[in-house]
Amino acid sequence: QVQLVESGGGLVQAGGSLRLSCAASGRIFKINVMGWYRQAPGKQRELVASITSGGSTNYADSVKGRFTIDRDYGKKTVSLQMNSLKPEDTAVYYCNADILSSLVLSNNYWGQGTQVTVSS
């Protein structure tokens, strides 16, 4: 079984920084895209940032220039450095990954979510 475990959420003042981390474990042959999504109360879950196995990144317009996604291929982790945080960044942040457990078995996985709260 595959698990994604997040850490690093919390409460921070506007303008501050947080770093989220997510570690994948279990039966893993290869990890393709890894990413971070967020869901604020009353809103749909949205993509924040993603990174492919080749290192290509994609960011939501609302976080470009403030957030940076990176991954450690050996440790099977993905991190999200969040700077210049704004109250509108407040949400539950979820790690997501496309993981192959074998050459022919691929699934999409979610972490349990971690709360990020930015006070004004």
Side-chain angles (χ1 to χ4, degrees):
Q1 197 60 287
V2 174
Q3 280 191 314
L4 298 177
V5 178
E6 301 124 332
S7 61
L11 173 65
V12 65
Q13 288 189 330
S17 298
L18 281 175
R19 184 174 178 85
L20 306 182
S21 294
C22 171
S25 63
R27 186 177 178 183
I28 299 172
F29 175 70
K30 181 183 177 183
I31 303 176
N32 288 326
V33 178
M34 300 188 83
W36 289 94
Y37 288 72
R38 67 186 180 187
Q39 188 166 21
K43 294 188 176 181
Q44 287 190 329
R45 191 171 297 189
E46 63 175 358
L47 175 68
V48 177
S50 64
I51 182 167
T52 68
S53 57
S56 297
T57 58
N58 180 45
Y59 294 93
D61 288 342
S62 59
V63 306
K64 283 181 181 176
R66 300 188 297 123
F67 291 11
T68 302
I69 189 170
D70 62 79
R71 60 191 281 183
D72 185 316
Y73 296 86
K75 294 181 179 179
K76 301 183 180 64
T77 60
V78 62
S79 298
L80 185 68
Q81 178 66 40
M82 305 185 293
N83 299 327
S84 303
L85 282 160
K86 304 176 181 179
E88 51 263 44
D89 293 319
T90 295
V92 177
Y93 284 69
Y94 297 91
C95 177
N96 179 270
D98 286 330
I99 296 176
L100 281 77
S101 297
S102 69
L103 280 172
V104 296
L105 182 60
S106 175
N107 281 301
N108 184 261
Y109 295 90
W110 291 94
Q112 80 283 1
T114 185
Q115 177 70 46
V116 171
T117 303
V118 185
S119 63
S120 57

